[in-house]
Amino acid sequence: PPNTTTVIRESVRAFVMTDHIQEHHKEDCKQQDYKQEYIDFLEARQRQLKIVKTTTSPCGQVLDWIRIESQGETRTPPPSPKRHQPDRERPEKLAVTELQLPGAERGPQGTVPLLRPSFKNADFKIPLKDFIVKRGPPLLDSAHKKSGLIPLDATIPPLPHWYVSSLETVDNYGCQGQFSCFAPSVDKTADFSLIQLGAICRDGAWRSDRPDGIDNRQTLEAGLQRYPSLYGDNNVHVFTYFTTVGYNPVEADNVGGYNRRHQGWHQYDKEVFPGCAFTPTSVNGGDQYKIWLVYQLWRGDWWFWCQDRWLGYYPGSLFVSNPSLSATAGASATAADHCDIVGFWGEVYDSADTPLAAEPTTTDMGSGEFAQKRWRHSAYIHNALYQASPSKEPDGVDNSDKDYNGESNVYVSDPARYSLEDHPTGGGNWGSYMWLGGPGYVPPP
């Protein structure tokens, strides 16, 4: 009988080599090399997991089910966060995941799902490290506001990312927001569109031997994303992301990455997981659906909440020491102890190889409507909060949530493509909120 390695290799090759890839009549050597990189990555990932069962979700996502204890010690989540009163003038419904729908196949009792990475929409034109890397929001500094953005990513070739973002510099132990659930139109399969939150420790990765000028941010991020190349479909997915060493092209086990593509994330819930698809989505001018996202630093770990449950956590120890950090730092200087920036932003990535002026992206952000269209038309984030004090022991009750205010650090890449309208006060039951979005490039009349 074939050994385990052979079975994994054949399974992965069948999973990656999809019909549309096989129909390409001839590929150059570079693409063949890149394709092999992707295959090797997925084979190595599958060998690490102790898979009990594999299922396919209704929209075609492949899920590997593992015993929860195979990830290490199972920890207890914090209490549920405080719920907010709905706004009767702006009624919303809750989106749900595929595994919460009747008839969805699940794994055995005691197992949790992990999303298997999909490359069926990948064209293998770029190396794997460029395909899976993420970029961070633009940071403004008081010493550089007149001259513009600090080139934190100066060591990375510039890529066409378009932002509407706001940041607040404040010590925090978590953040949260309630996000509209639109399905943005994406121009090309390798483009993406997202809206998200992030807790950022600006210099958490600093070590005495790291080069000057390198990006030292450590982050915990989550949001809603449409990214056909990453997920293999056109659905809206909830994503998580972390980095311990800045937005440098180092995505690796226990160092950084999306969802559970790499080791680092510990899955706790048996139905909802990073990368899962949500349904239904909001309708421009019609019903509005939302998703509630929370990060909370609890007993040294960063727990992540989605809708009505804690999904899992990133261990705080990842931010103190890992294979890509040259030395161990004191926890108090890293995201293991706290963050010092909170951010909410929208981002569109334009994958076109041609110059931007030659082929501008028409990928939507949010609904594709500008922020000024507002309720039932524009995307939004409401009840934007940050946790100002550590969670109290022994019960973890948190009474320190503060309204987010990022209006002094707003950045918009191009107001003709995307816009942001910030309302940090006076939102009633919505608290601190914002409208955001846009259609991308709009040709002149």
Side-chain angles (χ1 to χ4, degrees):
N3 59 37
T4 303
T5 300
T6 301
V7 171
I8 289 174
R9 180 173 293 115
E10 291 176 353
S11 173
V12 168
R13 285 182 182 276
F15 186 65
V16 175
M17 302 293 190
T18 55
D19 291 342
H20 87 282
I21 295 297
Q22 293 172 7
E23 289 172 3
H24 289 178
H25 54 276
K26 187 175 182 180
E27 299 172 324
D28 60 30
C29 292
K30 184 173 288 188
Q31 279 182 287
Q32 291 282 10
D33 290 343
Y34 290 159
K35 181 186 291 184
Q36 190 60 50
E37 273 190 274
Y38 289 52
I39 292 171
D40 292 345
F41 161 78
L42 194 50
E43 285 182 352
R45 179 188 183 276
Q46 295 305 101
R47 282 195 297 269
Q48 293 171 350
L49 301 176
K50 298 178 180 179
I51 299 170
V52 175
K53 183 179 181 178
T54 297
T55 63
T56 302
S57 74
C59 80
Q61 291 187 293
V62 177
L63 305 179
D64 293 316
W65 296 79
I66 62 171
R67 297 284 178 192
I68 189 170
E69 63 270 16
S70 70
Q71 303 169 102
E73 178 188 358
T74 301
R75 299 178 185 174
T76 303
S80 301
K82 180 181 177 181
R83 297 186 180 276
H84 305 280
Q85 291 297 319
D87 187 327
R88 296 183 183 277
E89 300 298 318
R90 291 177 282 205
E92 301 166 291
K93 302 177 182 180
L94 291 178
V96 298
T97 72
E98 291 181 287
L99 293 186
Q100 295 173 302
L101 297 175
E105 185 179 8
R106 297 177 176 85
Q109 185 71 26
T111 63
V112 293
L114 300 179
L115 175 62
R116 185 184 296 185
S118 171
F119 298 127
K120 69 181 183 182
N121 281 336
D123 57 16
F124 307 112
K125 290 182 178 179
I126 58 175
L128 180 66
K129 68 179 180 63
D130 291 334
F131 176 76
I132 59 179
V133 73
K134 191 176 185 292
R135 298 292 183 265
L139 288 185
L140 290 170
D141 187 278
S142 58
H144 293 78
K145 281 191 175 180
K146 290 184 179 180
S147 60
L149 296 174
I150 304 173
L152 285 176
D153 296 331
T155 59
I156 303 172
L159 290 174
H161 290 250
W162 301 89
Y163 292 93
V164 301
S165 68
S166 70
L167 303 172
E168 182 174 5
T169 300
V170 61
D171 285 351
N172 69 89
Y173 303 85
C175 56
Q176 63 173 284
Q178 303 199 28
F179 292 71
S180 61
C181 187
F182 282 101
S185 173
V186 177
D187 190 9
K188 296 170 283 294
T189 59
D191 291 3
F192 71 66
S193 178
L194 62 78
I195 57 175
Q196 71 162 90
L197 55 74
I200 303 168
C201 185
R202 182 162 188 164
D203 292 313
W206 183 86
R207 303 293 187 271
S208 59
D209 59 349
R210 278 172 71 84
D212 291 338
I214 196 170
D215 184 359
N216 286 315
R217 283 175 284 183
Q218 294 183 329
T219 72
L220 291 306
E221 304 177 39
L224 309 183
Q225 184 178 49
R226 195 170 190 180
Y227 193 176
S229 285
L230 187 67
Y231 298 105
D233 59 40
N234 287 306
N235 297 304
V236 174
H237 297 261
V238 163
F239 76 90
T240 62
Y241 184 86
F242 81 109
T243 177
T244 64
V245 292
Y247 294 97
N248 304 300
V250 184
E251 309 283 310
D253 287 343
N254 302 312
V255 175
Y258 274 112
N259 305 324
R260 182 48 177 80
R261 297 175 75 86
H262 300 283
Q263 292 185 42
W265 171 261
H266 286 235
Q267 179 68 21
Y268 178 79
D269 191 70
K270 61 183 180 181
E271 289 184 334
V272 188
F273 52 90
C276 64
F278 271 80
T279 186
T281 56
S282 297
V283 177
N284 190 342
D287 289 343
Q288 300 298 294
Y289 289 85
K290 71 173 181 178
I291 298 179
W292 182 20
L293 306 178
V294 184
Y295 267 117
Q296 182 179 346
L297 182 59
W298 163 243
R299 295 182 177 173
D301 299 318
W302 283 93
W303 281 84
F304 176 61
W305 170 280
C306 180
Q307 286 303 53
D308 61 353
R309 65 193 67 197
W310 294 106
L311 271 58
Y313 63 92
Y314 289 108
S317 57
L318 295 172
F319 301 93
V320 179
S321 179
N322 67 53
S324 287
L325 290 172
S326 54
T328 300
S332 63
T334 73
D337 182 79
H338 72 286
C339 287
D340 49 26
I341 297 174
V342 177
F344 292 84
W345 65 94
E347 179 184 358
V348 165
Y349 169 60
D350 179 7
S351 62
D353 293 329
T354 55
L356 294 179
E359 192 178 329
T361 184
T362 57
T363 290
D364 292 342
M365 181 185 293
S367 66
E369 299 280 8
F370 287 108
Q372 292 73 19
K373 289 293 190 74
R374 300 184 182 176
W375 176 241
R376 292 197 188 277
H377 299 285
S378 305
Y380 54 80
I381 305 169
H382 64 77
N383 294 111
L385 303 165
Y386 68 89
Q387 184 177 324
S389 302
S391 302
K392 295 179 180 179
E393 291 285 2
D395 56 9
V397 173
D398 167 45
N399 294 314
S400 68
D401 285 344
K402 305 292 184 184
D403 281 340
Y404 168 80
N405 186 344
E407 64 179 352
S408 64
N409 279 289
V410 170
Y411 174 78
V412 177
S413 297
D414 183 355
R417 298 174 187 239
Y418 309 106
S419 64
L420 172 70
E421 188 179 286
D422 206 8
H423 296 269
T425 59
N429 286 341
W430 269 23
S432 173
Y433 71 99
M434 63 196 73
W435 309 101
L436 69 164
Y441 176 71
V442 179

Short mmCIF file of all heavy atoms in Angstrom, two decimals, residues 13-45:
data_model
loop_
_atom_site.label_atom_id
_atom_site.label_comp_id
_atom_site.label_asym_id
_atom_site.label_seq_id
_atom_site.Cartn_x
_atom_site.Cartn_y
_atom_site.Cartn_z
N ARG A 13 -1.46 17.35 -4.96
CA ARG A 13 -1.33 17.63 -6.39
C ARG A 13 -2.71 17.67 -7.05
O ARG A 13 -2.99 18.53 -7.88
CB ARG A 13 -0.45 16.57 -7.07
CG ARG A 13 1.03 16.75 -6.76
CD ARG A 13 1.89 15.73 -7.48
NE ARG A 13 3.28 15.89 -7.15
CZ ARG A 13 4.10 16.74 -7.73
NH1 ARG A 13 3.64 17.51 -8.71
NH2 ARG A 13 5.36 16.84 -7.37
N ALA A 14 -3.57 16.73 -6.69
CA ALA A 14 -4.92 16.72 -7.27
C ALA A 14 -5.70 17.96 -6.85
O ALA A 14 -6.50 18.50 -7.61
CB ALA A 14 -5.66 15.46 -6.81
N PHE A 15 -5.43 18.42 -5.62
CA PHE A 15 -6.14 19.60 -5.11
C PHE A 15 -5.66 20.87 -5.81
O PHE A 15 -6.45 21.76 -6.09
CB PHE A 15 -5.88 19.70 -3.60
CG PHE A 15 -6.66 20.78 -2.92
CD1 PHE A 15 -8.04 20.72 -2.85
CD2 PHE A 15 -6.01 21.84 -2.32
CE1 PHE A 15 -8.76 21.69 -2.20
CE2 PHE A 15 -6.73 22.83 -1.68
CZ PHE A 15 -8.10 22.74 -1.62
N VAL A 16 -4.37 20.98 -6.10
CA VAL A 16 -3.80 22.18 -6.71
C VAL A 16 -3.99 22.19 -8.21
O VAL A 16 -4.32 23.21 -8.82
CB VAL A 16 -2.30 22.31 -6.36
CG1 VAL A 16 -1.69 23.49 -7.10
CG2 VAL A 16 -2.11 22.48 -4.86
N MET A 17 -3.79 21.05 -8.85
CA MET A 17 -3.87 20.97 -10.30
C MET A 17 -5.33 20.95 -10.75
O MET A 17 -5.89 19.92 -11.08
CB MET A 17 -3.16 19.71 -10.81
CG MET A 17 -1.72 19.63 -10.38
SD MET A 17 -0.71 20.90 -11.17
CE MET A 17 0.92 20.33 -10.73
N THR A 18 -5.97 22.06 -10.74
CA THR A 18 -7.39 22.13 -11.10
C THR A 18 -7.55 22.17 -12.61
O THR A 18 -6.60 22.38 -13.36
CB THR A 18 -8.02 23.37 -10.48
OG1 THR A 18 -7.26 24.50 -10.90
CG2 THR A 18 -7.99 23.31 -8.97
N ASP A 19 -8.82 22.00 -13.04
CA ASP A 19 -9.09 21.88 -14.46
C ASP A 19 -8.58 23.06 -15.26
O ASP A 19 -7.98 22.89 -16.33
CB ASP A 19 -10.60 21.73 -14.68
CG ASP A 19 -11.11 20.40 -14.17
OD1 ASP A 19 -10.27 19.50 -13.98
OD2 ASP A 19 -12.33 20.29 -13.96
N HIS A 20 -8.81 24.28 -14.75
CA HIS A 20 -8.43 25.43 -15.57
C HIS A 20 -6.93 25.56 -15.69
O HIS A 20 -6.43 26.07 -16.70
CB HIS A 20 -9.04 26.71 -14.99
CG HIS A 20 -8.22 27.38 -13.94
ND1 HIS A 20 -8.18 26.92 -12.64
CD2 HIS A 20 -7.40 28.46 -14.00
CE1 HIS A 20 -7.39 27.70 -11.94
NE2 HIS A 20 -6.90 28.63 -12.73
N ILE A 21 -6.18 25.05 -14.69
CA ILE A 21 -4.72 25.07 -14.79
C ILE A 21 -4.25 24.03 -15.81
O ILE A 21 -3.36 24.26 -16.62
CB ILE A 21 -4.08 24.81 -13.41
CG1 ILE A 21 -4.41 25.95 -12.44
CG2 ILE A 21 -2.57 24.64 -13.53
CD1 ILE A 21 -3.87 27.30 -12.85
N GLN A 22 -4.88 22.85 -15.77
CA GLN A 22 -4.46 21.77 -16.66
C GLN A 22 -4.70 22.12 -18.12
O GLN A 22 -4.04 21.59 -19.00
CB GLN A 22 -5.20 20.49 -16.27
CG GLN A 22 -4.79 19.95 -14.90
CD GLN A 22 -5.66 18.79 -14.45
OE1 GLN A 22 -6.49 18.31 -15.22
NE2 GLN A 22 -5.49 18.36 -13.22
N GLU A 23 -5.66 23.01 -18.37
CA GLU A 23 -5.99 23.35 -19.74
C GLU A 23 -5.00 24.33 -20.36
O GLU A 23 -5.01 24.55 -21.56
CB GLU A 23 -7.40 23.95 -19.78
CG GLU A 23 -8.49 22.92 -19.52
CD GLU A 23 -9.86 23.55 -19.37
OE1 GLU A 23 -9.95 24.80 -19.52
OE2 GLU A 23 -10.82 22.82 -19.10
N HIS A 24 -4.16 24.92 -19.55
CA HIS A 24 -3.13 25.79 -20.12
C HIS A 24 -2.17 24.93 -20.95
O HIS A 24 -1.54 24.00 -20.44
CB HIS A 24 -2.35 26.49 -19.00
CG HIS A 24 -3.18 27.53 -18.30
ND1 HIS A 24 -2.72 28.26 -17.24
CD2 HIS A 24 -4.44 27.97 -18.53
CE1 HIS A 24 -3.67 29.09 -16.84
NE2 HIS A 24 -4.72 28.93 -17.61
N HIS A 25 -2.06 25.22 -22.22
CA HIS A 25 -1.33 24.32 -23.12
C HIS A 25 0.18 24.32 -22.89
O HIS A 25 0.84 23.34 -23.17
CB HIS A 25 -1.65 24.67 -24.58
CG HIS A 25 -1.40 26.11 -24.93
ND1 HIS A 25 -2.34 27.10 -24.69
CD2 HIS A 25 -0.33 26.71 -25.50
CE1 HIS A 25 -1.86 28.26 -25.10
NE2 HIS A 25 -0.65 28.06 -25.58
N LYS A 26 0.72 25.44 -22.43
CA LYS A 26 2.17 25.45 -22.19
C LYS A 26 2.50 26.54 -21.20
O LYS A 26 1.99 27.64 -21.29
CB LYS A 26 2.92 25.70 -23.50
CG LYS A 26 4.43 25.54 -23.36
CD LYS A 26 5.11 25.67 -24.70
CE LYS A 26 6.60 25.46 -24.56
NZ LYS A 26 7.30 25.57 -25.86
N GLU A 27 3.34 26.24 -20.24
CA GLU A 27 3.75 27.23 -19.24
C GLU A 27 5.26 27.37 -19.30
O GLU A 27 5.98 26.43 -19.57
CB GLU A 27 3.32 26.78 -17.83
CG GLU A 27 1.83 26.62 -17.68
CD GLU A 27 1.47 26.00 -16.34
OE1 GLU A 27 2.25 25.13 -15.89
OE2 GLU A 27 0.46 26.39 -15.77
N ASP A 28 5.72 28.59 -19.03
CA ASP A 28 7.17 28.77 -19.04
C ASP A 28 7.78 28.15 -17.79
O ASP A 28 7.10 27.79 -16.83
CB ASP A 28 7.55 30.24 -19.18
CG ASP A 28 7.03 31.10 -18.05
OD1 ASP A 28 6.87 30.59 -16.92
OD2 ASP A 28 6.77 32.30 -18.29
N CYS A 29 9.09 28.03 -17.80
CA CYS A 29 9.78 27.34 -16.71
C CYS A 29 9.59 28.04 -15.37
O CYS A 29 9.48 27.39 -14.33
CB CYS A 29 11.28 27.25 -17.03
SG CYS A 29 11.64 26.16 -18.42
N LYS A 30 9.51 29.37 -15.39
CA LYS A 30 9.37 30.10 -14.14
C LYS A 30 8.03 29.78 -13.48
O LYS A 30 7.97 29.55 -12.27
CB LYS A 30 9.47 31.61 -14.38
CG LYS A 30 9.42 32.45 -13.11
CD LYS A 30 9.69 33.92 -13.40
CE LYS A 30 11.16 34.13 -13.72
NZ LYS A 30 11.48 35.58 -13.82
N GLN A 31 6.96 29.73 -14.27
CA GLN A 31 5.67 29.39 -13.71
C GLN A 31 5.66 27.96 -13.17
O GLN A 31 5.06 27.69 -12.13
CB GLN A 31 4.57 29.55 -14.76
CG GLN A 31 4.10 31.00 -14.92
CD GLN A 31 2.98 31.10 -15.93
OE1 GLN A 31 3.21 30.97 -17.12
NE2 GLN A 31 1.77 31.33 -15.46
N GLN A 32 6.35 27.05 -13.87
CA GLN A 32 6.44 25.68 -13.37
C GLN A 32 7.15 25.64 -12.02
O GLN A 32 6.75 24.92 -11.11
CB GLN A 32 7.20 24.82 -14.39
CG GLN A 32 6.45 24.57 -15.67
CD GLN A 32 5.37 23.51 -15.53
OE1 GLN A 32 5.04 23.09 -14.43
NE2 GLN A 32 4.79 23.10 -16.64
N ASP A 33 8.23 26.44 -11.88
CA ASP A 33 8.95 26.49 -10.62
C ASP A 33 8.07 27.06 -9.51
O ASP A 33 8.06 26.56 -8.38
CB ASP A 33 10.22 27.34 -10.76
CG ASP A 33 11.27 26.68 -11.63
OD1 ASP A 33 11.17 25.45 -11.85
OD2 ASP A 33 12.19 27.38 -12.09
N TYR A 34 7.33 28.13 -9.83
CA TYR A 34 6.45 28.73 -8.83
C TYR A 34 5.36 27.75 -8.41
O TYR A 34 5.02 27.63 -7.23
CB TYR A 34 5.81 30.01 -9.38
CG TYR A 34 6.77 31.16 -9.55
CD1 TYR A 34 6.46 32.22 -10.41
CD2 TYR A 34 7.97 31.21 -8.87
CE1 TYR A 34 7.32 33.29 -10.58
CE2 TYR A 34 8.84 32.28 -9.02
CZ TYR A 34 8.51 33.32 -9.89
OH TYR A 34 9.38 34.37 -10.05
N LYS A 35 4.80 27.03 -9.39
CA LYS A 35 3.77 26.04 -9.08
C LYS A 35 4.30 25.00 -8.12
O LYS A 35 3.61 24.61 -7.17
CB LYS A 35 3.27 25.39 -10.36
CG LYS A 35 2.16 24.36 -10.12
CD LYS A 35 1.78 23.62 -11.38
CE LYS A 35 1.08 24.52 -12.37
NZ LYS A 35 0.63 23.76 -13.57
N GLN A 36 5.54 24.58 -8.33
CA GLN A 36 6.12 23.58 -7.44
C GLN A 36 6.29 24.13 -6.03
O GLN A 36 6.11 23.41 -5.04
CB GLN A 36 7.47 23.11 -7.99
CG GLN A 36 8.03 21.89 -7.26
CD GLN A 36 7.09 20.69 -7.35
OE1 GLN A 36 6.63 20.34 -8.43
NE2 GLN A 36 6.80 20.07 -6.21
N GLU A 37 6.61 25.43 -5.92
CA GLU A 37 6.68 26.07 -4.60
C GLU A 37 5.37 25.93 -3.86
O GLU A 37 5.33 25.61 -2.67
CB GLU A 37 6.99 27.57 -4.76
CG GLU A 37 8.44 27.97 -4.84
CD GLU A 37 8.56 29.49 -4.73
OE1 GLU A 37 8.45 30.17 -5.77
OE2 GLU A 37 8.72 29.98 -3.60
N TYR A 38 4.27 26.22 -4.55
CA TYR A 38 2.95 26.17 -3.94
C TYR A 38 2.63 24.74 -3.49
O TYR A 38 2.09 24.51 -2.40
CB TYR A 38 1.88 26.64 -4.92
CG TYR A 38 1.88 28.11 -5.24
CD1 TYR A 38 3.01 28.80 -5.66
CD2 TYR A 38 0.69 28.85 -5.15
CE1 TYR A 38 2.99 30.14 -5.98
CE2 TYR A 38 0.66 30.21 -5.45
CZ TYR A 38 1.81 30.84 -5.87
OH TYR A 38 1.78 32.19 -6.18
N ILE A 39 2.94 23.77 -4.35
CA ILE A 39 2.68 22.37 -4.02
C ILE A 39 3.50 21.94 -2.81
O ILE A 39 2.99 21.30 -1.88
CB ILE A 39 2.99 21.47 -5.23
CG1 ILE A 39 1.98 21.73 -6.35
CG2 ILE A 39 2.97 20.00 -4.83
CD1 ILE A 39 2.32 21.05 -7.65
N ASP A 40 4.78 22.31 -2.79
CA ASP A 40 5.65 21.93 -1.66
C ASP A 40 5.15 22.53 -0.36
O ASP A 40 5.18 21.88 0.70
CB ASP A 40 7.09 22.38 -1.93
CG ASP A 40 7.75 21.62 -3.07
OD1 ASP A 40 7.22 20.56 -3.45
OD2 ASP A 40 8.79 22.09 -3.57
N PHE A 41 4.69 23.79 -0.43
CA PHE A 41 4.15 24.45 0.77
C PHE A 41 2.95 23.69 1.32
O PHE A 41 2.86 23.42 2.52
CB PHE A 41 3.75 25.89 0.43
CG PHE A 41 2.80 26.51 1.41
CD1 PHE A 41 3.25 26.99 2.64
CD2 PHE A 41 1.45 26.61 1.12
CE1 PHE A 41 2.37 27.54 3.55
CE2 PHE A 41 0.56 27.18 2.03
CZ PHE A 41 1.03 27.64 3.25
N LEU A 42 2.02 23.32 0.43
CA LEU A 42 0.81 22.66 0.88
C LEU A 42 1.10 21.25 1.39
O LEU A 42 0.52 20.80 2.39
CB LEU A 42 -0.22 22.62 -0.24
CG LEU A 42 -1.66 22.26 0.13
CD1 LEU A 42 -2.14 23.09 1.31
CD2 LEU A 42 -2.57 22.44 -1.06
N GLU A 43 2.03 20.54 0.74
CA GLU A 43 2.42 19.21 1.22
C GLU A 43 2.98 19.29 2.63
O GLU A 43 2.63 18.49 3.51
CB GLU A 43 3.46 18.59 0.28
CG GLU A 43 2.90 18.09 -1.02
CD GLU A 43 3.98 17.43 -1.88
OE1 GLU A 43 5.16 17.52 -1.50
OE2 GLU A 43 3.64 16.86 -2.91
N ALA A 44 3.88 20.26 2.87
CA ALA A 44 4.49 20.40 4.19
C ALA A 44 3.44 20.74 5.24
O ALA A 44 3.48 20.22 6.36
CB ALA A 44 5.57 21.48 4.15
N ARG A 45 2.50 21.62 4.88
CA ARG A 45 1.45 21.99 5.83
C ARG A 45 0.60 20.78 6.20
O ARG A 45 0.28 20.56 7.37
CB ARG A 45 0.56 23.08 5.23
CG ARG A 45 -0.58 23.51 6.14
CD ARG A 45 -1.54 24.43 5.42
NE ARG A 45 -2.60 24.91 6.30
CZ ARG A 45 -3.71 24.26 6.57
NH1 ARG A 45 -3.92 23.06 6.01
NH2 ARG A 45 -4.62 24.77 7.38
#
